[in-house]
Amino acid sequence: MPLKLSGSLTVTATRDQVWSLLFDVESMKQLASKIPGVKIERLVQISDDKYEGTATVGFAMVKGKYDGTLTLTEKRAPEFVKVHAEGKSGANWTSGDVSLTLAEEAGKTILTYEGVGNVGGTLASLGQRLIDTVGKQIVAQGSKALAEELEARSKK
């Protein structure tokens, strides 16, 4: 069941600051923990372009513990990265690809994202509308957390 996501956010931080934060494991854990319903239990960088982790993701009655990987499939510092993600939890699985483009404008960074996620297994039986709603909430809350963290770091 595909889920399409796209959007942009403007952050009061330089493009280099944003780029650096995107690949810092501790920062990624902290950012993800600010998203309601997401708890990162483990996240490790296993190579220059690959991360492994375990996270509990849940909203209302829909909750699961996922083991997964993030692989950087294309990277042009500090302007573009494409990420492939996969996760499994019992009878459920997720996968997706997202592209992030960073443009600097007057000391601020415009981060544009576009991607497609897939959900399978018993989770897919919940229906497209619920999956779309929850997915978009996660992205919105994650974007807000990212912007707040970047702005706080740029003032240090």
Side-chain angles (χ1 to χ4, degrees), residues 32-132:
S33 72
K34 293 180 179 182
I35 302 170
V38 176
K39 181 180 182 223
I40 303 297
E41 297 177 18
R42 179 180 71 89
L43 181 63
V44 293
Q45 185 172 6
I46 59 171
S47 72
D48 284 346
D49 295 331
K50 193 167 189 173
Y51 301 81
E52 286 184 349
T54 303
T56 302
V57 180
F59 298 90
M61 300 180 317
V62 181
K63 194 171 199 175
K65 184 175 184 175
Y66 289 83
D67 291 313
T69 59
L70 295 171
T71 305
L72 309 179
T73 58
E74 190 177 340
K75 188 162 91 171
R76 292 188 312 271
E79 63 190 46
F80 178 83
V81 65
K82 186 171 185 178
V83 180
H84 176 75
E86 294 183 355
K88 288 192 85 139
S89 174
N92 298 309
W93 60 266
T94 63
S95 68
D97 294 284
V98 65
S99 297
L100 303 172
T101 304
L102 283 68
E104 192 160 0
E105 187 176 292
K108 295 182 179 185
T109 301
I110 301 166
L111 188 148
T112 304
Y113 58 90
E114 187 171 329
V116 176
N118 296 292
V119 176
T122 54
L123 239 166
S125 68
L126 294 173
Q128 184 71 33
R129 287 185 72 192
L130 180 58
I131 298 293
D132 278 346

